[in-house]
Each structure stands twice: as structure tokens, then as C-alpha cells.
Amino acid sequence: MTIRQWTLSSINQLVKQFEQGALSKEEWTHHAHLVVCSYYLYHYNYQEATLRIKLGIIRFTAAVGTENTIDGGYHETLTLFWIWAVNAYITDQSATLEELVNGLLNRPYSKKYLPFFFYAEDHIFSHEARARWVGPNLHPLKASLIASAFIDSIWYGDDLV
């Protein structure tokens, strides 16, 4: 499957639309989430990036008419999980934002089903996990597992959409 190549201009445009609530629900894809996350982690320290991402998603979902409730909208554990995964990929890399984004989207760190390697479905989709951080119950959060055990798991399919 061919993955879109992101330019600095397209990254900045996506982030601007995200911040303004100008993206449609259909444009807020898995890859869009990861690009926005990469942008903030590239420009800010981990704590500030995390805060900006969390608040941005909450604002964005409200702007597109999705209620943030215990059953839908913002999901704390998934958000923090993806921030961790993206950060695990970009840490210690000296690359441009474009290189980081395009590299990430071609690596196991971006696979849509990555959370299910670390979490059982009922665990990650619990009300508790939506409301607050819940640690994984299948494997510990170790980036080394993504490049080793995850790529041999049932969850490592061609899911880059």
C-alpha cells in the first residue's frame, strides 16, 4: 500500500486546520493523529506536547460535533499510548520534521492495531481507560518490543490506511 508523503507545508497545514477545528471528521484519520502528534513532539518537550495534544483533541472533537463522554470522543489511554509510541520512534533521531513523519508512517510504530499488542480489547475500551491513563495488561510499554515481538504478532498486518 502506498503511503502519502508529507511535506513540511502539508504538515503545517494539517496542524493549523486541527488547531482551528477546520478538519472534517473524515480527515481526522489515524495518520492525521500521528502527524499532529509528531509535530507537537518535535516542537515541544514531552509534557507540553502531551498537554497540547490532549487539549487539542478535546477541542477538535467538540468542534466537529462529537461529545466527549465516557462512551465516545476523547480517549485518555489511547491518546497517551500514541504519544508514547510516537515519542519512542522519534527520540534520539536527528531528522527534519518531514523525515520523522514520513519515517514514522512507514514503521511498526504507526500501525493502527499497535495498542492491541499491549492491551486486551476490553481493557483498552473500558470506561476507566477512556477517562484516565490505564497501563497495559498484555505487555509492558517497551519500545524494543515494537521492533521485535510486535512485528511477529497477529496485530502486525498491513493496516496503514
Side-chain angles (χ1 to χ4, degrees), residues 66-106:
T66 301
E67 287 188 65
N68 291 303
T69 69
I70 199 66
D71 295 310
Y74 178 78
H75 191 296
E76 178 77 355
T77 299
L78 280 174
T79 299
L80 295 178
F81 172 83
W82 283 111
I83 293 169
W84 167 80
V86 171
N87 191 65
Y89 173 75
I90 69 173
T91 296
D92 298 326
Q93 291 198 40
S94 58
T96 67
L97 179 58
E98 275 180 78
E99 292 167 337
L100 289 173
V101 165
N102 290 307
L104 170 68
L105 298 180
N106 284 292

mmCIF file of all heavy atoms in Angstrom, residues 66-106:
data_model
loop_
_atom_site.group_PDB
_atom_site.id
_atom_site.type_symbol
_atom_site.label_atom_id
_atom_site.label_comp_id
_atom_site.label_asym_id
_atom_site.label_seq_id
_atom_site.Cartn_x
_atom_site.Cartn_y
_atom_site.Cartn_z
ATOM 1 N N THR A 66 -18.711 16.036 18.103
ATOM 2 C CA THR A 66 -18.630 14.798 18.868
ATOM 3 C C THR A 66 -18.563 15.144 20.348
ATOM 4 O O THR A 66 -17.714 15.934 20.756
ATOM 5 C CB THR A 66 -17.379 13.981 18.476
ATOM 6 O OG1 THR A 66 -17.447 13.681 17.088
ATOM 7 C CG2 THR A 66 -17.292 12.689 19.280
ATOM 8 N N GLU A 67 -19.451 14.567 21.123
ATOM 9 C CA GLU A 67 -19.417 14.809 22.559
ATOM 10 C C GLU A 67 -18.296 13.988 23.187
ATOM 11 O O GLU A 67 -18.071 12.837 22.818
ATOM 12 C CB GLU A 67 -20.745 14.404 23.202
ATOM 13 C CG GLU A 67 -21.879 15.355 22.914
ATOM 14 C CD GLU A 67 -23.097 14.993 23.745
ATOM 15 O OE1 GLU A 67 -23.020 15.103 24.988
ATOM 16 O OE2 GLU A 67 -24.086 14.574 23.142
ATOM 17 N N ASN A 68 -17.592 14.608 24.112
ATOM 18 C CA ASN A 68 -16.569 13.906 24.882
ATOM 19 C C ASN A 68 -17.242 13.353 26.134
ATOM 20 O O ASN A 68 -17.488 14.075 27.090
ATOM 21 C CB ASN A 68 -15.429 14.865 25.231
ATOM 22 C CG ASN A 68 -14.651 15.258 24.000
ATOM 23 O OD1 ASN A 68 -14.129 14.402 23.291
ATOM 24 N ND2 ASN A 68 -14.577 16.543 23.717
ATOM 25 N N THR A 69 -17.562 12.053 26.067
ATOM 26 C CA THR A 69 -18.275 11.394 27.159
ATOM 27 C C THR A 69 -17.537 10.117 27.549
ATOM 28 O O THR A 69 -16.530 9.760 26.947
ATOM 29 C CB THR A 69 -19.706 11.014 26.733
ATOM 30 O OG1 THR A 69 -19.620 9.965 25.750
ATOM 31 C CG2 THR A 69 -20.466 12.213 26.169
ATOM 32 N N ILE A 70 -18.073 9.403 28.488
ATOM 33 C CA ILE A 70 -17.486 8.140 28.923
ATOM 34 C C ILE A 70 -17.591 7.073 27.831
ATOM 35 O O ILE A 70 -16.882 6.072 27.850
ATOM 36 C CB ILE A 70 -18.122 7.658 30.258
ATOM 37 C CG1 ILE A 70 -17.227 6.633 30.947
ATOM 38 C CG2 ILE A 70 -19.512 7.124 30.039
ATOM 39 C CD1 ILE A 70 -15.919 7.161 31.427
ATOM 40 N N ASP A 71 -18.447 7.304 26.834
ATOM 41 C CA ASP A 71 -18.646 6.338 25.752
ATOM 42 C C ASP A 71 -18.107 6.777 24.397
ATOM 43 O O ASP A 71 -18.095 5.997 23.451
ATOM 44 C CB ASP A 71 -20.136 6.011 25.601
ATOM 45 C CG ASP A 71 -20.684 5.305 26.824
ATOM 46 O OD1 ASP A 71 -20.064 4.319 27.254
ATOM 47 O OD2 ASP A 71 -21.729 5.738 27.344
ATOM 48 N N GLY A 72 -17.680 8.023 24.275
ATOM 49 C CA GLY A 72 -17.220 8.489 22.967
ATOM 50 C C GLY A 72 -16.394 9.756 23.056
ATOM 51 O O GLY A 72 -16.320 10.400 24.094
ATOM 52 N N GLY A 73 -15.754 10.087 21.945
ATOM 53 C CA GLY A 73 -14.911 11.282 21.900
ATOM 54 C C GLY A 73 -13.517 10.986 22.412
ATOM 55 O O GLY A 73 -12.947 9.921 22.135
ATOM 56 N N TYR A 74 -12.981 11.909 23.162
ATOM 57 C CA TYR A 74 -11.607 11.808 23.651
ATOM 58 C C TYR A 74 -11.388 10.543 24.474
ATOM 59 O O TYR A 74 -12.224 10.167 25.281
ATOM 60 C CB TYR A 74 -11.271 13.038 24.502
ATOM 61 C CG TYR A 74 -9.880 12.984 25.082
ATOM 62 C CD1 TYR A 74 -8.779 13.278 24.288
ATOM 63 C CD2 TYR A 74 -9.659 12.601 26.397
ATOM 64 C CE1 TYR A 74 -7.492 13.200 24.809
ATOM 65 C CE2 TYR A 74 -8.381 12.522 26.925
ATOM 66 C CZ TYR A 74 -7.303 12.821 26.126
ATOM 67 O OH TYR A 74 -6.037 12.742 26.627
ATOM 68 N N HIS A 75 -10.222 9.907 24.266
ATOM 69 C CA HIS A 75 -9.869 8.670 24.983
ATOM 70 C C HIS A 75 -8.475 8.862 25.585
ATOM 71 O O HIS A 75 -7.473 8.890 24.870
ATOM 72 C CB HIS A 75 -9.877 7.498 24.005
ATOM 73 C CG HIS A 75 -9.788 6.164 24.641
ATOM 74 N ND1 HIS A 75 -8.692 5.743 25.373
ATOM 75 C CD2 HIS A 75 -10.662 5.125 24.647
ATOM 76 C CE1 HIS A 75 -8.898 4.519 25.795
ATOM 77 N NE2 HIS A 75 -10.085 4.118 25.367
ATOM 78 N N GLU A 76 -8.418 9.003 26.894
ATOM 79 C CA GLU A 76 -7.166 9.326 27.586
ATOM 80 C C GLU A 76 -6.072 8.277 27.364
ATOM 81 O O GLU A 76 -4.944 8.615 27.006
ATOM 82 C CB GLU A 76 -7.429 9.494 29.087
ATOM 83 C CG GLU A 76 -6.193 9.777 29.905
ATOM 84 C CD GLU A 76 -5.664 11.210 29.832
ATOM 85 O OE1 GLU A 76 -6.195 12.026 29.047
ATOM 86 O OE2 GLU A 76 -4.709 11.512 30.566
ATOM 87 N N THR A 77 -6.377 7.016 27.578
ATOM 88 C CA THR A 77 -5.341 5.995 27.474
ATOM 89 C C THR A 77 -4.820 5.865 26.048
ATOM 90 O O THR A 77 -3.605 5.789 25.832
ATOM 91 C CB THR A 77 -5.850 4.642 28.006
ATOM 92 O OG1 THR A 77 -6.206 4.803 29.388
ATOM 93 C CG2 THR A 77 -4.803 3.553 27.879
ATOM 94 N N LEU A 78 -5.709 5.842 25.064
ATOM 95 C CA LEU A 78 -5.248 5.749 23.680
ATOM 96 C C LEU A 78 -4.411 6.962 23.286
ATOM 97 O O LEU A 78 -3.397 6.825 22.603
ATOM 98 C CB LEU A 78 -6.420 5.576 22.721
ATOM 99 C CG LEU A 78 -6.965 4.161 22.611
ATOM 100 C CD1 LEU A 78 -8.217 4.132 21.741
ATOM 101 C CD2 LEU A 78 -5.917 3.203 22.074
ATOM 102 N N THR A 79 -4.823 8.133 23.714
ATOM 103 C CA THR A 79 -4.052 9.339 23.401
ATOM 104 C C THR A 79 -2.660 9.248 24.000
ATOM 105 O O THR A 79 -1.654 9.468 23.304
ATOM 106 C CB THR A 79 -4.784 10.598 23.909
ATOM 107 O OG1 THR A 79 -6.063 10.686 23.259
ATOM 108 C CG2 THR A 79 -3.971 11.855 23.638
ATOM 109 N N LEU A 80 -2.578 8.915 25.262
ATOM 110 C CA LEU A 80 -1.266 8.824 25.914
ATOM 111 C C LEU A 80 -0.433 7.673 25.350
ATOM 112 O O LEU A 80 0.792 7.784 25.239
ATOM 113 C CB LEU A 80 -1.429 8.697 27.424
ATOM 114 C CG LEU A 80 -2.038 9.922 28.110
ATOM 115 C CD1 LEU A 80 -2.212 9.673 29.605
ATOM 116 C CD2 LEU A 80 -1.203 11.171 27.859
ATOM 117 N N PHE A 81 -1.082 6.589 24.967
ATOM 118 C CA PHE A 81 -0.364 5.488 24.348
ATOM 119 C C PHE A 81 0.292 5.947 23.048
ATOM 120 O O PHE A 81 1.477 5.681 22.808
ATOM 121 C CB PHE A 81 -1.294 4.298 24.066
ATOM 122 C CG PHE A 81 -0.607 3.236 23.257
ATOM 123 C CD1 PHE A 81 0.200 2.300 23.877
ATOM 124 C CD2 PHE A 81 -0.724 3.208 21.869
ATOM 125 C CE1 PHE A 81 0.881 1.343 23.133
ATOM 126 C CE2 PHE A 81 -0.044 2.264 21.117
ATOM 127 C CZ PHE A 81 0.755 1.328 21.754
ATOM 128 N N TRP A 82 -0.470 6.613 22.186
ATOM 129 C CA TRP A 82 0.078 7.036 20.897
ATOM 130 C C TRP A 82 1.153 8.100 21.061
ATOM 131 O O TRP A 82 2.134 8.120 20.301
ATOM 132 C CB TRP A 82 -1.025 7.483 19.949
ATOM 133 C CG TRP A 82 -1.728 6.299 19.372
ATOM 134 C CD1 TRP A 82 -3.007 5.886 19.623
ATOM 135 C CD2 TRP A 82 -1.161 5.319 18.491
ATOM 136 N NE1 TRP A 82 -3.260 4.725 18.941
ATOM 137 C CE2 TRP A 82 -2.157 4.351 18.235
ATOM 138 C CE3 TRP A 82 0.084 5.172 17.895
ATOM 139 C CZ2 TRP A 82 -1.928 3.264 17.401
ATOM 140 C CZ3 TRP A 82 0.307 4.084 17.063
ATOM 141 C CH2 TRP A 82 -0.694 3.145 16.818
ATOM 142 N N ILE A 83 1.018 8.971 22.045
ATOM 143 C CA ILE A 83 2.089 9.942 22.317
ATOM 144 C C ILE A 83 3.356 9.188 22.705
ATOM 145 O O ILE A 83 4.445 9.496 22.221
ATOM 146 C CB ILE A 83 1.659 10.950 23.402
ATOM 147 C CG1 ILE A 83 0.516 11.837 22.882
ATOM 148 C CG2 ILE A 83 2.841 11.801 23.857
ATOM 149 C CD1 ILE A 83 -0.163 12.679 23.948
ATOM 150 N N TRP A 84 3.217 8.173 23.557
ATOM 151 C CA TRP A 84 4.366 7.363 23.948
ATOM 152 C C TRP A 84 4.996 6.689 22.726
ATOM 153 O O TRP A 84 6.217 6.703 22.546
ATOM 154 C CB TRP A 84 3.951 6.302 24.978
ATOM 155 C CG TRP A 84 5.011 5.272 25.179
ATOM 156 C CD1 TRP A 84 6.136 5.382 25.951
ATOM 157 C CD2 TRP A 84 5.090 3.994 24.543
ATOM 158 N NE1 TRP A 84 6.896 4.239 25.843
ATOM 159 C CE2 TRP A 84 6.275 3.374 24.976
ATOM 160 C CE3 TRP A 84 4.266 3.308 23.645
ATOM 161 C CZ2 TRP A 84 6.654 2.106 24.546
ATOM 162 C CZ3 TRP A 84 4.646 2.046 23.221
ATOM 163 C CH2 TRP A 84 5.832 1.464 23.675
ATOM 164 N N ALA A 85 4.179 6.055 21.868
ATOM 165 C CA ALA A 85 4.687 5.314 20.714
ATOM 166 C C ALA A 85 5.401 6.236 19.731
ATOM 167 O O ALA A 85 6.493 5.919 19.254
ATOM 168 C CB ALA A 85 3.544 4.570 20.015
ATOM 169 N N VAL A 86 4.804 7.383 19.430
ATOM 170 C CA VAL A 86 5.438 8.328 18.508
ATOM 171 C C VAL A 86 6.734 8.849 19.110
ATOM 172 O O VAL A 86 7.762 8.919 18.435
ATOM 173 C CB VAL A 86 4.480 9.489 18.142
ATOM 174 C CG1 VAL A 86 5.204 10.579 17.369
ATOM 175 C CG2 VAL A 86 3.291 8.951 17.344
ATOM 176 N N ASN A 87 6.698 9.178 20.383
ATOM 177 C CA ASN A 87 7.909 9.659 21.048
ATOM 178 C C ASN A 87 9.001 8.584 21.054
ATOM 179 O O ASN A 87 10.182 8.892 20.855
ATOM 180 C CB ASN A 87 7.591 10.109 22.471
ATOM 181 C CG ASN A 87 8.746 10.843 23.090
ATOM 182 O OD1 ASN A 87 9.134 11.919 22.641
ATOM 183 N ND2 ASN A 87 9.327 10.270 24.126
ATOM 184 N N ALA A 88 8.611 7.333 21.249
ATOM 185 C CA ALA A 88 9.585 6.234 21.232
ATOM 186 C C ALA A 88 10.275 6.162 19.873
ATOM 187 O O ALA A 88 11.470 5.882 19.788
ATOM 188 C CB ALA A 88 8.903 4.915 21.560
ATOM 189 N N TYR A 89 9.531 6.435 18.819
ATOM 190 C CA TYR A 89 10.117 6.405 17.477
ATOM 191 C C TYR A 89 11.051 7.596 17.243
ATOM 192 O O TYR A 89 12.151 7.425 16.718
ATOM 193 C CB TYR A 89 9.040 6.366 16.388
ATOM 194 C CG TYR A 89 9.657 6.518 15.018
ATOM 195 C CD1 TYR A 89 10.346 5.458 14.447
ATOM 196 C CD2 TYR A 89 9.604 7.724 14.329
ATOM 197 C CE1 TYR A 89 10.969 5.597 13.218
ATOM 198 C CE2 TYR A 89 10.216 7.866 13.098
ATOM 199 C CZ TYR A 89 10.900 6.805 12.544
ATOM 200 O OH TYR A 89 11.519 6.944 11.330
ATOM 201 N N ILE A 90 10.613 8.798 17.625
ATOM 202 C CA ILE A 90 11.393 9.982 17.257
ATOM 203 C C ILE A 90 12.541 10.299 18.210
ATOM 204 O O ILE A 90 13.451 11.034 17.844
ATOM 205 C CB ILE A 90 10.501 11.236 17.058
ATOM 206 C CG1 ILE A 90 9.912 11.727 18.367
ATOM 207 C CG2 ILE A 90 9.410 10.963 16.047
ATOM 208 C CD1 ILE A 90 9.163 13.043 18.228
ATOM 209 N N THR A 91 12.524 9.728 19.409
ATOM 210 C CA THR A 91 13.568 10.005 20.383
ATOM 211 C C THR A 91 14.938 9.641 19.829
ATOM 212 O O THR A 91 15.114 8.590 19.235
ATOM 213 C CB THR A 91 13.302 9.235 21.690
ATOM 214 O OG1 THR A 91 12.077 9.730 22.247
ATOM 215 C CG2 THR A 91 14.406 9.430 22.706
ATOM 216 N N ASP A 92 15.876 10.514 20.056
ATOM 217 C CA ASP A 92 17.275 10.309 19.649
ATOM 218 C C ASP A 92 17.501 10.303 18.140
ATOM 219 O O ASP A 92 18.557 9.889 17.682
ATOM 220 C CB ASP A 92 17.855 9.030 20.266
ATOM 221 C CG ASP A 92 17.863 9.087 21.785
ATOM 222 O OD1 ASP A 92 18.056 10.190 22.333
ATOM 223 O OD2 ASP A 92 17.669 8.040 22.411
ATOM 224 N N GLN A 93 16.526 10.735 17.374
ATOM 225 C CA GLN A 93 16.737 10.859 15.937
ATOM 226 C C GLN A 93 17.025 12.315 15.608
ATOM 227 O O GLN A 93 16.348 13.208 16.097
ATOM 228 C CB GLN A 93 15.501 10.401 15.160
ATOM 229 C CG GLN A 93 15.263 8.929 15.258
ATOM 230 C CD GLN A 93 14.336 8.451 14.174
ATOM 231 O OE1 GLN A 93 14.427 8.885 13.036
ATOM 232 N NE2 GLN A 93 13.441 7.549 14.533
ATOM 233 N N SER A 94 18.006 12.527 14.797
ATOM 234 C CA SER A 94 18.258 13.882 14.316
ATOM 235 C C SER A 94 17.792 13.912 12.868
ATOM 236 O O SER A 94 18.483 13.428 11.967
ATOM 237 C CB SER A 94 19.736 14.253 14.446
ATOM 238 O OG SER A 94 20.528 13.342 13.735
ATOM 239 N N ALA A 95 16.609 14.412 12.681
ATOM 240 C CA ALA A 95 15.997 14.450 11.357
ATOM 241 C C ALA A 95 15.066 15.651 11.302
ATOM 242 O O ALA A 95 14.680 16.200 12.332
ATOM 243 C CB ALA A 95 15.223 13.162 11.101
ATOM 244 N N THR A 96 14.696 16.031 10.107
ATOM 245 C CA THR A 96 13.719 17.097 9.950
ATOM 246 C C THR A 96 12.341 16.559 10.323
ATOM 247 O O THR A 96 12.140 15.332 10.378
ATOM 248 C CB THR A 96 13.680 17.613 8.498
ATOM 249 O OG1 THR A 96 13.159 16.559 7.657
ATOM 250 C CG2 THR A 96 15.054 18.072 8.025
ATOM 251 N N LEU A 97 11.409 17.447 10.533
ATOM 252 C CA LEU A 97 10.040 17.026 10.838
ATOM 253 C C LEU A 97 9.490 16.169 9.697
ATOM 254 O O LEU A 97 8.856 15.140 9.941
ATOM 255 C CB LEU A 97 9.145 18.241 11.098
ATOM 256 C CG LEU A 97 7.679 17.959 11.408
ATOM 257 C CD1 LEU A 97 7.535 17.052 12.620
ATOM 258 C CD2 LEU A 97 6.925 19.270 11.611
ATOM 259 N N GLU A 98 9.723 16.581 8.464
ATOM 260 C CA GLU A 98 9.276 15.797 7.307
ATOM 261 C C GLU A 98 9.830 14.374 7.352
ATOM 262 O O GLU A 98 9.101 13.400 7.122
ATOM 263 C CB GLU A 98 9.765 16.425 6.003
ATOM 264 C CG GLU A 98 8.902 17.513 5.456
ATOM 265 C CD GLU A 98 9.501 18.038 4.159
ATOM 266 O OE1 GLU A 98 9.335 17.366 3.119
ATOM 267 O OE2 GLU A 98 10.131 19.114 4.192
ATOM 268 N N GLU A 99 11.112 14.254 7.599
ATOM 269 C CA GLU A 99 11.749 12.937 7.651
ATOM 270 C C GLU A 99 11.178 12.090 8.780
ATOM 271 O O GLU A 99 10.938 10.891 8.607
ATOM 272 C CB GLU A 99 13.263 13.083 7.812
ATOM 273 C CG GLU A 99 13.951 13.679 6.606
ATOM 274 C CD GLU A 99 15.383 14.120 6.880
ATOM 275 O OE1 GLU A 99 15.743 14.384 8.049
ATOM 276 O OE2 GLU A 99 16.150 14.203 5.897
ATOM 277 N N LEU A 100 10.941 12.718 9.928
ATOM 278 C CA LEU A 100 10.373 11.979 11.062
ATOM 279 C C LEU A 100 8.976 11.471 10.753
ATOM 280 O O LEU A 100 8.659 10.306 10.998
ATOM 281 C CB LEU A 100 10.357 12.852 12.313
ATOM 282 C CG LEU A 100 11.703 13.147 12.948
ATOM 283 C CD1 LEU A 100 11.555 14.158 14.073
ATOM 284 C CD2 LEU A 100 12.353 11.869 13.457
ATOM 285 N N VAL A 101 8.136 12.348 10.215
ATOM 286 C CA VAL A 101 6.751 11.966 9.910
ATOM 287 C C VAL A 101 6.724 10.847 8.874
ATOM 288 O O VAL A 101 6.068 9.823 9.063
ATOM 289 C CB VAL A 101 5.928 13.185 9.442
ATOM 290 C CG1 VAL A 101 4.616 12.757 8.788
ATOM 291 C CG2 VAL A 101 5.656 14.120 10.610
ATOM 292 N N ASN A 102 7.424 11.038 7.782
ATOM 293 C CA ASN A 102 7.408 10.027 6.718
ATOM 294 C C ASN A 102 8.060 8.728 7.158
ATOM 295 O O ASN A 102 7.607 7.641 6.786
ATOM 296 C CB ASN A 102 8.035 10.583 5.447
ATOM 297 C CG ASN A 102 7.142 11.640 4.817
ATOM 298 O OD1 ASN A 102 5.965 11.404 4.569
ATOM 299 N ND2 ASN A 102 7.679 12.817 4.593
ATOM 300 N N GLY A 103 9.091 8.813 7.982
ATOM 301 C CA GLY A 103 9.703 7.609 8.532
ATOM 302 C C GLY A 103 8.759 6.873 9.466
ATOM 303 O O GLY A 103 8.604 5.652 9.383
ATOM 304 N N LEU A 104 8.113 7.623 10.353
ATOM 305 C CA LEU A 104 7.171 7.031 11.304
ATOM 306 C C LEU A 104 6.074 6.264 10.590
ATOM 307 O O LEU A 104 5.746 5.139 10.972
ATOM 308 C CB LEU A 104 6.551 8.128 12.183
ATOM 309 C CG LEU A 104 5.382 7.701 13.069
ATOM 310 C CD1 LEU A 104 5.857 6.757 14.162
ATOM 311 C CD2 LEU A 104 4.694 8.918 13.655
ATOM 312 N N LEU A 105 5.499 6.865 9.564
ATOM 313 C CA LEU A 105 4.353 6.260 8.893
ATOM 314 C C LEU A 105 4.721 5.012 8.093
ATOM 315 O O LEU A 105 3.829 4.317 7.603
ATOM 316 C CB LEU A 105 3.654 7.301 8.006
ATOM 317 C CG LEU A 105 3.085 8.495 8.778
ATOM 318 C CD1 LEU A 105 2.412 9.476 7.830
ATOM 319 C CD2 LEU A 105 2.146 8.073 9.886
ATOM 320 N N ASN A 106 5.996 4.732 7.997
ATOM 321 C CA ASN A 106 6.463 3.527 7.327
ATOM 322 C C ASN A 106 7.067 2.520 8.295
ATOM 323 O O ASN A 106 7.756 1.591 7.878
ATOM 324 C CB ASN A 106 7.504 3.894 6.257
ATOM 325 C CG ASN A 106 6.853 4.483 5.034
ATOM 326 O OD1 ASN A 106 6.154 3.788 4.319
ATOM 327 N ND2 ASN A 106 7.063 5.764 4.812
#
